[in-house]
Amino acid sequence: MRTNLRITAAATTALVAALSLSACGSDSGSKESDKAASKPSVSAPATSSTDGGRLGATTGGDSAGTTGGTGGTSGGTGGSGGSGSATGGQGTAKPAKANGKQSGGQSGSGSGSGSAKRVTCTGSNVKLTATPVSRPINHVLLTATNTGKTTCNAYDAPAVKFSNAQSPIPVDKDTIPQSVVTLAPGQSAYAMIRTQGEPDGTDPYMTSQVVVYFRGAVGMESVGRSAYASLAKPVGVVDAQAMATYWQSDMSAISAW
């Protein structure tokens, strides 16, 4: 009986010892696990705000330089690795200027007018000469030469008055040119004057000076300064028979008028 009790007590003691050892092992394993969990992972080291930019340029360099950094390759301000910030380093791209200027270029502007300014030919910008011609008889050739620096238009016909006339002589409508006579500096326009026609018993008066008034683009009014031309020799004039042509760019158009 005592032997059985001793065996039972020994077995109980052994069981308690085994349970204690098991509990200790479990405790120790739990503590080891907790220690392991509390240690930082070697493969994913913690990063501080100071190392954020470095991380973006090294371990995250590809993302800062290509995909992660808007200031890397695409933005142009982060260089090869982007300008890192505490959160991984995003670059800031400078916005394009909206005033049309390109880098290193100039803004385009155009002004050119493309056409030369023209004025009216008057006594201020032309030199007038009057030359009697042998054929046809009783005719005087007027030449108006542009002495200015700007192209001028010789509109319509010259308003011609001789020294004793009260009003300009009539104009032959059959000599209207196809277009306005335009004179570049140095060019000349021509007009012919008939001083008298067939004799009808009217005595001509003699004159050695011609006065010309210039007309504008609209109407028959005179514009600007008049011009005077002296004749090399006096000519006889009958106002009722005198007539003038329109200005011409080609003298041959009125040489036989």
Side-chain angles (χ1 to χ4, degrees):
M1 183 73 169
R2 290 181 180 175
T3 304
N4 290 339
L5 289 174
R6 288 176 183 171
I7 293 173
T8 302
T12 302
T13 302
L15 177 62
V16 170
L19 290 174
S20 295
L21 288 174
S22 176
C24 287
S26 173
D27 242 0
S28 140
S30 177
K31 288 179 181 179
E32 290 299 324
S33 298
D34 290 344
K35 287 181 182 180
S38 65
K39 289 183 180 179
S41 174
V42 176
S43 60
T47 57
S48 66
S49 60
T50 308
D51 293 333
R54 190 179 300 111
L55 179 61
T58 55
T59 60
D62 289 340
S63 61
T66 56
T67 59
T70 59
T73 304
S74 60
T77 60
S80 62
S83 59
S85 69
T87 58
Q90 289 187 348
T92 303
K94 293 183 179 179
K97 293 183 179 179
N99 59 1
K101 292 184 179 180
Q102 299 295 328
S103 175
Q106 296 180 348
S107 57
S109 60
S111 105
S113 61
S115 61
K117 180 181 178 182
R118 295 180 183 180
V119 298
T120 302
C121 298
T122 67
S124 300
N125 53 16
V126 302
K127 178 182 178 182
L128 183 69
T129 60
T131 308
V133 295
S134 57
R135 290 281 186 260
I137 60 171
N138 301 322
H139 281 64
V140 174
L141 176 66
L142 290 179
T143 303
T145 303
N146 183 357
T147 57
K149 296 181 179 180
T150 304
T151 298
C152 70
N153 289 335
Y155 293 106
D156 206 70
V160 179
K161 285 178 62 176
F162 292 102
S163 56
N164 296 332
Q166 297 298 316
S167 59
I169 63 177
V171 177
D172 186 356
K173 301 293 184 180
D174 292 335
T175 61
I176 297 176
Q178 292 183 351
S179 59
V180 175
V181 177
T182 299
L183 304 180
Q187 291 185 332
S188 300
Y190 308 95
M192 192 72 78
I193 301 170
R194 186 179 67 198
T195 58
Q196 58 180 307
E198 295 294 330
D200 62 356
T202 304
D203 293 332
Y205 61 87
M206 305 301 291
T207 183
S208 59
Q209 188 178 61
V210 179
V211 181
V212 171
Y213 299 90
F214 297 86
R215 294 187 169 102
V218 180
M220 295 294 288
E221 77 285 357
S222 61
V223 297
R225 289 175 53 184
S226 57
Y228 295 81
S230 296
L231 298 166
K233 60 181 182 179
V235 296
V237 178
V238 176
D239 289 335
Q241 298 174 348
M243 185 172 283
T245 69
Y246 281 73
W247 289 115
Q248 310 289 330
S249 57
D250 186 359
M251 185 171 57
S252 64
I254 52 173
S255 59
W257 177 73

